[in-house]
Amino acid sequence: MTRHPSPALSLLAVATLLCAVVPSASAQSSDAQRAQLKAAITDAERGQFNAAQAGTLSRNPAYGWLEYANLRRNIETVSNDQAQSFLKRYDGQAVATTFRSVWLPAVARRQDWATLLANWAPTENTGLRCAQLSARQATGKIDAQWTSEAQELWRKNGKALPDGCDAVFTALQAQGGLSDALRWERIDAAADAQQPAVMRSAARGLPAADLALATDYAAFVDSPNAKALNWPRNERSKRIATDGLEKLAKANPDATEQQLPQYAQALGLSAEQQAQVRYQIALWTVASYLPDSARRLNAVPDSAYDERLHEWRVREAMSRGDWPATLAAIRKMGPTQRADSRWTYFEARMLEKTGQAAQAKAVFARAASSPTFHGFLAADKLQQPYMLCPWKPNDSASARAAVSRDPAIVRAMELYRIDRASWATAEWNSALAKFDDTQRRLAVEVAQENGWFDRAVFSLGKQPDEQRLYHLRFPLHHDGSIRREASRNAIDPAWVAAEIRAESIFSPNARSPANAMGLMQVLPATGAAVAKSIGLTNYGGASSLYDPDTNIAIGTAYLRQLMNKYDGLPYVTIAAYNAGPTPTARWQGQRPGFDPDLWIETISYKETREYVARVLAFSVIYDWRLNGDALPLSDRLMGKLVDTRKKFTCTAAAGAKAD
């Protein structure tokens, strides 16, 4: 019987026959070659690696990832020689780092400690750090440095650590490095993190009396109980009680408010600790606009307020239509928070609502200098042009060409174009780690030319001026389809583009954890229903949602259907597109007749509240990109496709950031 070499060995043989030549970064791949590489990687992942095919792809810039795919498929049986040969060939590249992160755990599982130590590289991966400590312990290399590193991991946070760390802490205990004080330190941190299971685990090894108390502490964090009334009256008991009551407040603010006084009295909780609990009681009451919201907010001392609670105090008063109280709440904010365009705008609105028109106008003027949702609304109030100061740097062609030839950037683009986004991102991050600000900006331009539009969102913003790179931060693709489908459904095309930017950043293969797919993140069930309703004869099931034209046709038609359901109001439609019909109906019922800007601000879901404002702000930017001017945002909110258009201007006072 003929014996065939293992796929991993075959790949090593190919590399050896090719004299271990690492592919040239400047190699250019055709679409046909990319298709070959994509298929070869898929085959390797299925255990069907083809050594002959691999040889024909050896000059592809991303060839190392084909090798990686095959080695990963066989990671438990990859020999040390194979692994070390791979690491040597691709030393310094993202593919080597990625391979090491999957190979070393396999090495640890077979307890080949010498190999693990020989191939170790610093990492933030806690599991690997524990494996390395285990290797040093097993090979007799426990010293003061080992103890210090093990204690650092123990202290790292109050959350659960990987199972592989258990052996490290057992050894630490045996060496006398895990004192009772350290156990209590972790118990305290776990209580703060509201992790009772970690508290129990950390307590093992304490003397019996301490263990019993620690177990009681963990039970209280799980569910506050009367045993705490007899705890030692010390700082730790107070801390644990505060942690447990804060946790309870998230689930049941009513019960927490009722129980707080008895624990405060029995344990002597400080005014600050009681304020921490009252903060959570108020927050989890007002976040759902429950009865007693105002009273509970007022029970929180001013010293315990942070930006988050200040915002909720404003929204609570706003939700009741109490304009003087809303204005007072805004004016209690700190100067930095109050100066944000959102709160500057609402301060002006409350001045307007309370009959102080002249003062409102001056405050609107401050907000209108910002190219944001609230800045655009303020400009509408003043009937002024929108502020927008685009920046298009005059970078040299040679600098851009140099970035485009960077080996890691070349590999990143190759991988992205064969739908290996996570690998592409690893190469991208490797490149950007050594780039300066100009090179990073130019890399984003290269990515956009390759259809990788989200790099602008994830890679720009380190410098304030980068927020003004609107041509990069707001890409525009498939504009023909956008215009066509928007016209067919009587919807502003800028809105459709804004939805795509908010949902997928123009990535046609985007897929959410909820299985929303494609440019406009359409759920398969929604896609099928809408396709049927509009008579889309070429709809081929869920996979069709990855086709840009199909996705735009379905997503835009769905927006139209929602618009019809919600009385032609885009701001309600956008909320429903994000959150669904049930919460949207609740918000409509809670605040009927509210002005659109106030209704949006009092949406209880943070994600949806910010999403609606973001999409509407993006619509203004995309109107500018598509047409050079914009539909007034105050009309856009109401679905009025009016003839009046707003101009854009730039002054020294204009802000840089778009929401």
Side-chain angles (χ1 to χ4, degrees):
M1 183 171 78
T2 303
R3 295 185 62 188
H4 297 283
S6 73
L9 181 59
S10 297
L11 188 50
L12 180 62
V14 170
T16 303
L17 289 171
L18 292 168
C19 301
V21 174
V22 177
S24 167
S26 60
Q28 299 297 314
S29 297
S30 66
D31 288 343
Q33 289 170 329
R34 290 191 188 98
Q36 281 184 301
L37 179 64
K38 183 176 182 178
I41 290 172
T42 300
D43 287 345
E45 290 176 330
R46 292 172 177 167
Q48 299 170 353
F49 174 73
N50 184 318
Q53 183 185 44
T56 67
L57 294 166
S58 63
R59 293 283 177 181
N60 187 288
Y63 176 76
W65 290 93
L66 171 57
E67 288 195 67
Y68 165 76
N70 186 57
L71 291 171
R72 185 180 65 178
R73 175 69 169 71
N74 301 281
I75 199 66
E76 298 297 339
T77 57
V78 169
S79 72
N80 292 343
D81 286 345
Q82 289 174 299
Q84 289 164 342
S85 173
F86 181 87
L87 290 171
K88 182 178 180 180
R89 288 198 304 281
Y90 296 104
D91 183 43
Q93 294 187 25
V95 71
T97 302
T98 303
F99 174 72
R100 183 179 277 108
S101 72
V102 297
W103 176 56
L104 288 184
V107 173
R109 285 191 290 274
R110 62 176 183 261
Q111 299 187 1
D112 184 353
W113 303 125
T115 297
L116 189 147
L117 292 175
N119 292 277
W120 173 256
T123 177
E124 291 301 312
N125 184 300
T126 301
L128 281 179
R129 289 174 66 187
C130 284
Q132 191 242 19
L133 287 169
S134 291
R136 287 157 63 185
Q137 183 262 332
T139 54
K141 297 177 181 177
I142 289 184
D143 53 16
Q145 181 63 31
W146 184 96
T147 300
S148 175
E149 290 177 25
Q151 289 174 338
E152 179 190 351
L153 281 175
W154 175 264
R155 291 189 180 101
K156 185 175 181 182
N157 55 49
K159 297 183 179 179
L161 295 171
D163 291 344
C165 295
D166 291 347
V168 173
F169 299 137
T170 298
L172 183 64
Q173 171 74 12
Q175 295 295 321
L178 194 52
S179 65
D180 291 350
L182 272 174
R183 289 192 179 279
W184 279 115
E185 188 175 333
R186 182 155 172 78
I187 290 167
D188 290 342
D192 291 346
Q194 297 173 355
Q195 297 285 322
V198 176
M199 295 173 68
R200 294 185 182 96
S201 176
R204 297 183 192 122
L206 286 172
D210 283 357
L211 175 60
L213 181 58
T215 302
D216 279 353
Y217 283 159
F220 187 88
V221 173
D222 250 336
S223 178
N225 59 80
K227 274 192 174 183
L229 300 175
N230 298 312
W231 284 351
R233 195 179 170 100
N234 58 31
E235 290 306 313
R236 173 165 289 120
S237 293
K238 296 175 186 180
R239 176 177 179 171
I240 302 292
T242 302
D243 289 330
L245 290 169
E246 285 186 294
K247 181 172 179 284
L248 177 64
K250 297 177 183 180
N252 193 337
D254 292 344
T256 310
E257 186 176 52
Q258 292 170 5
Q259 295 178 34
L260 173 60
Q262 62 177 331
Y263 295 115
Q265 182 177 7
L267 297 171
L269 299 187
S270 69
E272 181 181 354
Q273 288 169 327
Q274 293 182 59
Q276 288 175 234
V277 177
R278 292 197 181 280
Y279 175 104
Q280 296 295 336
I281 291 169
L283 177 64
W284 294 97
T285 302
V286 71
S288 297
Y289 300 112
L290 297 174
D292 277 341
S293 290
R295 179 182 62 78
R296 287 174 176 173
L297 284 164
N298 290 332
V300 180
D302 288 345
S303 60
Y305 266 76
D306 59 6
E307 290 193 354
R308 186 183 188 189
L309 203 60
H310 274 298
E311 288 189 9
W312 276 110
R313 179 157 59 183
V314 172
R315 291 189 193 103
E316 190 280 329
M318 191 182 290
S319 71
R320 293 185 285 107
D322 189 339
W323 314 133
T326 305
L327 181 59
I330 292 171
R331 288 178 168 174
K332 288 181 179 179
M333 291 176 165
T336 301
Q337 185 179 17
R338 188 175 165 187
D340 182 86
S341 62
R342 176 195 300 257
W343 304 117
T344 304
Y345 170 78
F346 281 119
E347 182 175 359
R349 281 286 276 135
M350 294 306 104
L351 288 167
E352 184 181 60
K353 286 280 193 182
T354 54
Q356 304 174 70
Q359 293 158 279
K361 186 174 181 180
V363 181
F364 276 132
R366 295 204 305 270
S369 67
S370 175
T372 61
F373 174 65
H374 298 96
F376 296 145
L377 286 178
D380 283 354
K381 287 286 185 180
L382 300 172
Q383 298 184 331
Q384 290 180 354
Y386 293 144
M387 292 290 186
L388 201 71
C389 293
W391 176 40
K392 279 198 102 171
N394 187 25
D395 297 312
S396 71
S398 59
R400 191 188 174 291
V403 168
S404 70
R405 291 193 301 268
D406 178 86
I409 290 295
V410 171
R411 292 190 294 269
M413 297 307 112
E414 289 292 309
L415 290 165
Y416 182 77
R417 293 179 69 175
I418 62 169
D419 302 324
R420 292 286 171 170
S422 63
W423 296 355
T425 300
E427 292 284 7
W428 175 268
N429 291 339
S430 176
L432 263 62
K434 64 180 184 294
F435 282 176
D436 61 24
D437 289 342
T438 298
Q439 291 171 313
R440 176 168 48 82
R441 188 176 66 241
L442 291 170
V444 170
E445 291 187 11
V446 172
Q448 290 215 349
E449 288 188 358
N450 283 272
W452 197 4
F453 298 112
D454 69 7
R455 295 302 87 189
V457 175
F458 296 120
S459 305
L460 296 177
K462 292 184 178 180
Q463 303 300 328
D465 279 346
E466 291 176 356
Q467 297 288 352
R468 296 165 47 215
L469 294 167
Y470 295 110
H471 66 295
L472 295 177
R473 293 182 56 237
F474 293 89
L476 185 57
H477 202 41
H478 309 296
D479 49 309
S481 293
I482 289 170
R483 289 182 187 274
R484 181 183 66 249
E485 298 304 328
S487 175
R488 179 176 292 161
N489 291 283
I491 287 178
D492 181 11
W495 176 15
V496 179
E499 287 285 355
I500 295 173
R501 167 63 164 76
E503 290 288 347
S504 68
I505 320 177
F506 283 84
S507 173
N509 295 322
R511 185 171 183 172
S512 79
N515 202 33
M517 302 166 70
L519 291 173
M520 297 185 73
Q521 290 291 273
V522 178
L523 290 167
T526 301
V530 174
K532 182 178 180 180
S533 70
I534 64 176
L536 194 63
T537 57
N538 63 344
Y539 184 69
S543 61
S544 297
L545 294 172
Y546 290 127
D547 174 69
D549 289 342
T550 301
N551 193 284
I552 292 170
I554 289 174
T556 306
Y558 183 52
L559 283 178
R560 179 72 261 172
Q561 292 176 6
L562 290 176
M563 278 272 280
N564 294 342
K565 178 178 180 178
Y566 294 111
D567 302 321
L569 297 174
Y571 70 96
V572 182
T573 298
I574 296 168
Y577 195 90
N578 177 259
T582 300
T584 302
R586 182 172 67 250
W587 300 325
Q588 286 184 298
Q590 288 171 337
R591 288 172 291 285
F594 255 48
D595 294 342
D597 55 346
L598 305 180
W599 188 86
I600 293 167
E601 186 57 39
T602 53
I603 289 173
S604 55
Y605 292 0
K606 182 178 188 289
E607 177 189 335
T608 304
R609 181 171 64 248
E610 295 184 351
Y611 177 86
V612 175
R614 187 165 63 249
V615 169
L616 288 164
F618 289 176
S619 298
V620 174
I621 304 295
Y622 274 109
D623 221 349
W624 167 73
R625 288 222 60 189
L626 286 163
N627 304 305
D629 54 16
L631 184 71
L633 183 52
S634 53
D635 289 320
R636 183 186 300 281
L637 279 167
M638 304 303 294
K640 298 177 181 177
L641 300 180
V642 297
D643 292 333
T644 304
R645 305 285 293 179
K646 293 292 288 281
K647 299 296 183 183
F648 288 82
T649 189
C650 177
T651 68
K657 184 180 178 182
D659 283 341

